[in-house]
């Protein structure tokens, strides 16, 4: 299985029409529902999908 890590910046590049705040809210909701996990903190923060 391949694990893909994405940062908030990666998501904003892939979805340029979505505001930073909207991306942040979506990431928080996905974390709260345990669909993704945060790796690292600060500028090095990345996210990985939980299966």
């Amino acid at each position: 299985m391949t694990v893909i890590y994405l940062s908030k910046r990666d998501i904003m590049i892939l979805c340029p029409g979505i505001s930073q705040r909207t991306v942040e809210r979506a990431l928080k909701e996905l974390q709260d529902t345990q669909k993704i996990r945060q790796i690292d903190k600060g500028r090095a923060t990345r996210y990985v999908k939980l299966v």
Side-chain angles (χ1 to χ4, degrees), residues 21 23-38 47-50:
R21 183 65 186 128
V23 171
E24 291 168 351
R25 278 194 299 260
L27 289 170
K28 180 171 181 352
E29 181 179 337
L30 290 169
Q31 287 181 76
D32 291 346
T33 57
Q34 298 182 346
K35 294 183 179 177
I36 63 171
R37 182 176 1 146
Q38 180 178 334
Y47 300 90
V48 64
K49 180 181 177 183
L50 299 176

Side-chain angles (χ1 to χ4, degrees), residues 3-48:
V3 177
I4 299 174
Y5 296 95
L6 286 175
S7 67
K8 181 171 53 176
R9 183 172 186 261
D10 293 334
I11 296 167
M12 293 185 69
I13 289 170
L14 292 169
C15 306
I18 300 175
S19 72
Q20 179 176 338
R21 183 65 186 128
T22 300
V23 171
E24 291 168 351
R25 278 194 299 260
L27 289 170
K28 180 171 181 352
E29 181 179 337
L30 290 169
Q31 287 181 76
D32 291 346
T33 57
Q34 298 182 346
K35 294 183 179 177
I36 63 171
R37 182 176 1 146
Q38 180 178 334
I39 310 293
D40 295 326
K41 293 194 184 257
R43 293 180 66 143
T45 301
R46 297 170 293 148
Y47 300 90
V48 64

